[in-house]
Amino acid sequence: MERIILMVIRLIYKVPEWWFKICRYGKDENFEKYSEEKRYAVLQELTQRANRAGRVEVQCYGRENLPKDNGYIIFPNHQGLFDTLLFFETHGRFFSFVMKKEVQNALLVKQIARLVHAKAMDRSDVRQSMTVIKQVAEEVKQGRNYIIFAEGTRSRNGNKLLPFKGGAFKSAVYAKCPIVPAAVIDSYKAFDIHSVKKMTAQVHYLEPIAYETYKGMKTGEIAEMVKSRIEAVIEKYGPEAEESSAN
């Protein structure tokens, strides 16, 4: 929370402008008026400026691994509220995301969700969840990119991963699209600890997994495959690896 306050204080002169644009561009009646590129540009400017104001250095690796053609789903590990800012800064193309129903009305989350037409999933309602899964699949087929946090919630345990839920990968199976694993490292330090010290957060875009590779696999098996690839990167580049090499 302290870092969020620091961001707001340092950028208070820009907050009204960004708030106006986010709310205006996200209105249903304006959705065709403002292109995805224009809406995404607002989020990228806001994020990049906010990260610098909050003393967060974002390190991005593997951007060349992102498929050249749109219509893919990124599956990262989930560490905290800052994760989405990592992707808004480093992912150069428009994307939407799936969030749990519990956060859909949170301040700013609600407005950004409307801006990118994000989907809220009620995990206690199987029918509603399946509707969202199919909607995402259809949009991906049409060339939209999505981010889905397969753990379902933030781990609250630093760089340790929770189990990946197989159901999170149903949209990819239905869309028959590339899966892009993404490893998030130290993102939790931005908002989930009481500090405003300079810090670094990493995002690693891993090689995409083509549909032909996971075709025929059960969603639980896909989840384990993606999770293991992300864990391998965190073990290699995370702070624990740096400490070991230093010793």
Side-chain angles (χ1 to χ4, degrees):
M1 180 59 71
E2 289 89 340
R3 199 177 302 273
I4 295 176
I5 294 172
L6 177 64
M7 290 175 172
V8 172
I9 291 174
R10 288 186 165 181
L11 295 172
I12 192 66
Y13 66 98
K14 290 287 293 184
V15 170
E17 175 190 343
W18 286 330
W19 182 257
F20 172 78
K21 286 183 177 179
I22 288 173
C23 292
R24 182 177 179 83
Y25 293 2
K27 288 183 178 180
D28 290 340
E29 60 267 29
N30 291 332
F31 211 68
E32 296 299 326
K33 182 177 179 180
Y34 300 105
S35 67
E36 290 186 343
E37 291 75 16
K38 189 176 184 66
R39 284 182 273 126
Y40 193 66
V42 174
L43 292 177
Q44 284 201 301
E45 180 192 5
L46 184 159
T47 301
Q48 292 168 2
R49 297 280 294 275
N51 290 346
R52 288 197 295 271
R55 309 181 76 194
V56 181
E57 178 188 352
V58 173
Q59 296 179 347
C60 177
Y61 305 92
R63 193 184 283 111
E64 68 278 3
N65 288 325
L66 291 170
K68 294 182 179 179
D69 296 325
N70 290 326
Y72 54 85
I73 303 178
I74 300 172
F75 289 93
N77 56 308
H78 195 13
Q79 294 193 350
L81 298 174
F82 187 76
D83 294 351
T84 307
L85 275 68
L86 271 179
F87 290 103
F88 282 141
E89 173 159 342
T90 62
H91 190 270
R93 284 174 270 173
F94 183 95
F95 70 85
S96 190
F97 56 88
V98 177
M99 59 187 168
K100 57 185 180 181
K101 180 184 177 182
E102 291 82 354
V103 302
Q104 66 175 338
N105 291 317
L107 185 66
L108 192 56
V109 173
K110 178 180 180 179
Q111 287 72 29
I112 290 177
R114 289 182 61 183
L115 189 68
V116 299
H117 271 200
K119 304 285 188 293
M121 180 178 289
D122 184 351
R123 294 172 295 180
S124 65
D125 187 333
V126 176
R127 180 173 295 181
Q128 191 270 353
S129 297
M130 186 54 66
T131 297
V132 171
I133 288 169
K134 291 182 177 179
Q135 287 175 341
V136 170
E138 286 303 312
E139 291 186 17
V140 171
K141 286 180 182 179
Q142 295 168 16
R144 176 164 287 182
N145 307 315
Y146 264 87
I147 285 182
I148 299 177
F149 295 101
E151 289 163 290
T153 188
R154 47 182 166 164
S155 69
R156 298 185 184 275
N157 193 21
N159 292 307
K160 302 292 183 181
L161 274 59
L162 295 174
F164 277 27
K165 301 180 183 299
F169 294 86
K170 288 182 178 180
S171 291
V173 172
Y174 291 151
K176 300 180 180 180
C177 69
I179 289 173
V180 181
V184 171
I185 300 175
D186 286 347
S187 175
Y188 71 96
K189 294 179 179 179
F191 294 158
D192 294 356
I193 64 174
H194 299 291
S195 174
V196 292
K197 292 181 179 179
K198 289 183 179 180
M199 58 151 293
T200 300
Q202 303 176 39
V203 58
H204 297 252
Y205 294 102
L206 311 188
E207 290 187 8
I209 304 171
Y211 174 68
E212 289 71 21
T213 300
Y214 66 85
K215 180 175 64 174
M217 295 174 63
K218 295 180 179 179
T219 54
E221 295 172 334
I222 300 172
E224 282 301 316
M225 175 175 61
V226 172
K227 179 174 180 284
S228 65
R229 295 189 183 192
I230 292 173
E231 283 181 324
V233 171
I234 293 176
E235 289 177 3
K236 184 175 181 180
Y237 296 102
E240 292 81 3
E242 293 179 2
E243 291 174 5
S244 298
S245 61
N247 295 329

